[in-house]
Amino acid sequence: MRNAIRIIAIILLACIAVYCGYEIYTESKEDNVQITEFEEIAETIKVNGDEVDEDKYKDLYEQNHDFVGWIRIDDTPIDYPVMQSKNNPEFYLKHNFNKEYSRFGVPFVQANCDIEKDDNIIIYGHNMRNKTMFNALTQYSDKGFCDNHKFVHFDTLNESNLYEVIAVFKTKAYSNNGFRYYDFTKANTEEEFNAYIDKCKALSFYETGLMAEYGDKLLTLSTCEYTQNNGRLVVIAKQI
């Protein structure tokens, strides 16, 4: 009887090991496919290395009208198209550029942001354990990393924009104990703008030496932060 139980236990453990190995293999295979797809999308906008022509985003927009821009942070894996689905706000949380299911998703702009007019553009992306998507944002908790990666490129369909990081913090989303940074897209008054910036600076891990003034355009990058439930790592930058 004891031998039979031991044999059954061994068989169960073997089955679990096979299942886990298959899941790891499948996930790794999916990772490679998704990474390759993003690389291919990036290649479509490149001409002669880093040079791009004036219609660099035309083809991408024709493929998917949810495409609103491109985000890049030099010397990081962040080099991705940016989407916006106003009728289905979190669609690109679990879908790729071709609108197929993907656990990678695609960085996307908050649905109520007007990227041409609003004071603050908020972009979300996954914190992937394979170091892709917005995982690199977590390194901004270190001031040294920020000093070496303080510029964020965000192009819209109409113009190229450069932003400089002014604050980095973590908070808890959907909680009265957290900072609802995602509620701020436009400032009705100078006081409202200043109050938002003051809160961002107060929460920041460190002092960047930069401030924003009423009239400045902001870019907010947000990803998951796993030291707390519904944690968020947030990078605030201003257009320069």
Side-chain angles (χ1 to χ4, degrees), residues 62-95:
E62 289 179 351
Q63 292 176 43
N64 187 336
H65 285 185
D66 290 339
F67 172 75
V68 295
W70 194 277
I71 188 166
R72 186 180 87 252
I73 301 177
D74 293 336
D75 299 320
T76 78
I78 297 177
D79 189 13
Y80 299 116
V82 177
M83 319 301 285
Q84 186 178 35
S85 178
K86 294 186 177 182
N87 296 325
N88 190 353
E90 295 189 348
F91 180 79
Y92 289 98
L93 193 67
K94 292 293 184 180
H95 291 84

Side-chain angles (χ1 to χ4, degrees), residues 30-135:
E30 180 186 351
D31 287 358
N32 291 333
V33 169
Q34 294 297 320
I35 291 170
T36 299
E37 286 182 357
F38 279 120
E39 289 175 345
E40 290 174 350
I41 292 172
E43 284 300 317
T44 66
I45 66 169
K46 292 182 179 179
V47 178
N48 298 324
D50 290 333
E51 297 298 321
V52 289
D53 64 29
E54 59 184 4
D55 294 321
K56 59 184 174 181
Y57 300 125
K58 180 179 178 181
D59 289 344
L60 290 181
Y61 180 73
E62 289 179 351
Q63 292 176 43
N64 187 336
H65 285 185
D66 290 339
F67 172 75
V68 295
W70 194 277
I71 188 166
R72 186 180 87 252
I73 301 177
D74 293 336
D75 299 320
T76 78
I78 297 177
D79 189 13
Y80 299 116
V82 177
M83 319 301 285
Q84 186 178 35
S85 178
K86 294 186 177 182
N87 296 325
N88 190 353
E90 295 189 348
F91 180 79
Y92 289 98
L93 193 67
K94 292 293 184 180
H95 291 84
N96 64 16
F97 184 86
N98 298 313
K99 299 186 177 182
E100 302 163 335
Y101 172 79
S102 167
R103 67 188 186 87
F104 278 61
V106 188
F108 63 94
V109 175
Q110 186 166 291
N112 66 334
C113 285
D114 185 326
I115 63 174
E116 301 296 337
K117 298 178 180 179
D118 283 352
D119 299 304
N120 186 25
I121 302 170
I122 305 171
I123 304 178
Y124 300 94
H126 281 302
N127 177 1
M128 302 293 288
R129 65 184 180 184
N130 61 11
K131 308 300 183 183
T132 60
M133 309 314 294
F134 273 11
N135 173 270

Side-chain angles (χ1 to χ4, degrees), residues 2 8 16 18-19 65 89 105 118 130 138 144 151 163 184 211 216 223 232:
R2 185 174 297 173
I8 292 173
I16 292 171
V18 170
Y19 175 78
H65 285 185
D118 283 352
N130 61 11
T138 62
F151 297 114
Y163 296 80
F184 180 80
M211 280 294 292
D216 285 338
T223 195
R232 297 292 184 272

